Amino acid sequence: MSRTDTRMRVAGAWLAIASVLLGFVLVGHGPIHPDLALQMHIIANNVTLWVVVHWAAAAALSLFVVASLIVLTAGSRLTEHWWTLSAWAVVPVGALWTMTTAVAEATSVADAAAANDMARFTAWWAFAEGKANGFMFLCLAVVVIAGNEALSRQQITPSWASLGRSCGWACCLCRLAVGHVVRHLAGQPRLGCFVFRDGPLDVVVRIGARANRDQRVNRSQLAL
């Protein structure tokens, strides 16, 4: 096994773990209430769950950073074009921004909510809200990566089902990014808003399994 293959296997393993962990975060986080006072009350009543979910989100985003850095240094076909190289470089930036949001929510925001300190809660909420813009960049980077993979698979074998699944994943992330921008323009609180009811949550958990299945199908067709 070559050094590139080893690095890509390691990166794939970390991406799979991060995706599964982020899937549980999506399920357990819950929606953000537009009223900050009511949101602080919700957090104060569920401080333990709030802290656990956001530390899990920080861990998942950290694994995305690790995996993307391994991909960037692997020298594989995933970074042979300028747009995919740029997308993989944006992944750690967006993940680090969003990870800062998760850490702030798990510490300062949770403490302010538990102490019923509205002034401190509002200040830290605004700080973490601004850092949460990194989630939009992370989504857009994954859209570029998924789109490139869909085109690459089409060049190897004409599998319309595989293209549809990849494009569906890209469209889901586009909706996440667009929804984030709309919330920003509307001035609505969006801090740590990992739950989007219009997107299938299971796609995050099962993306690794689907990718492996598509790869096995492509290899079998090439063998024929």
Side-chain angles (χ1 to χ4, degrees):
M1 184 181 296
S2 66
R3 188 174 183 180
T4 298
D5 292 338
T6 301
R7 292 186 178 184
M8 293 308 299
R9 286 180 180 273
V10 173
W14 287 124
L15 282 174
I17 296 173
S19 299
V20 172
L21 188 57
L22 190 59
F24 287 113
V25 171
L26 288 168
V27 175
H29 186 278
I32 298 297
H33 199 279
D35 188 343
L36 277 183
L38 184 55
Q39 179 63 40
M40 185 178 70
H41 180 70
I42 294 173
I43 296 173
N45 290 335
N46 301 276
V47 173
T48 301
L49 177 61
W50 182 267
V51 171
V52 170
V53 166
H54 285 89
W55 276 120
L61 293 165
S62 300
L63 293 180
F64 275 112
V65 174
V66 171
S68 61
L69 293 178
I70 294 175
V71 172
L72 287 171
T73 59
S76 70
R77 64 172 185 83
L78 295 180
T79 55
E80 62 183 2
H81 302 295
W82 68 266
W83 57 86
T84 52
L85 179 62
S86 300
W88 279 107
V90 169
V91 168
V93 176
L96 285 171
W97 277 30
T98 314
M99 182 183 66
T100 307
T101 297
V103 173
E105 290 187 70
T107 55
S108 299
V109 171
D111 291 340
N116 198 26
D117 189 342
M118 189 62 188
R120 183 157 59 98
F121 179 83
T122 303
W124 276 104
W125 188 272
F127 167 79
E129 188 178 38
K131 300 290 285 188
N133 288 312
F135 189 66
M136 177 182 65
F137 295 108
L138 178 62
C139 291
L140 293 176
V142 175
V143 167
V144 174
I145 295 168
N148 182 75
E149 281 301 290
L151 294 176
S152 299
R153 289 172 182 172
Q154 281 297 100
Q155 293 174 0
I156 296 175
T157 176
S159 173
W160 290 106
S162 173
L163 179 62
R165 285 191 295 270
S166 298
C167 289
W169 169 242
C171 290
C172 177
L173 287 175
C174 280
R175 288 200 301 272
L176 293 179
V178 171
H180 186 84
V181 174
V182 170
R183 285 176 174 80
H184 175 69
L185 295 178
Q188 298 178 358
R190 62 199 181 281
L191 176 65
C193 189
F194 292 113
V195 174
F196 292 82
R197 301 300 181 188
D198 58 339
L201 297 178
D202 61 337
V203 72
V204 178
V205 179
R206 294 188 292 178
I207 184 173
R210 287 182 177 180
N212 291 333
R213 183 178 60 192
D214 292 338
Q215 186 177 10
R216 289 196 298 269
V217 172
N218 291 340
R219 287 179 178 176
S220 63
Q221 290 178 355
L222 288 175
L224 293 176

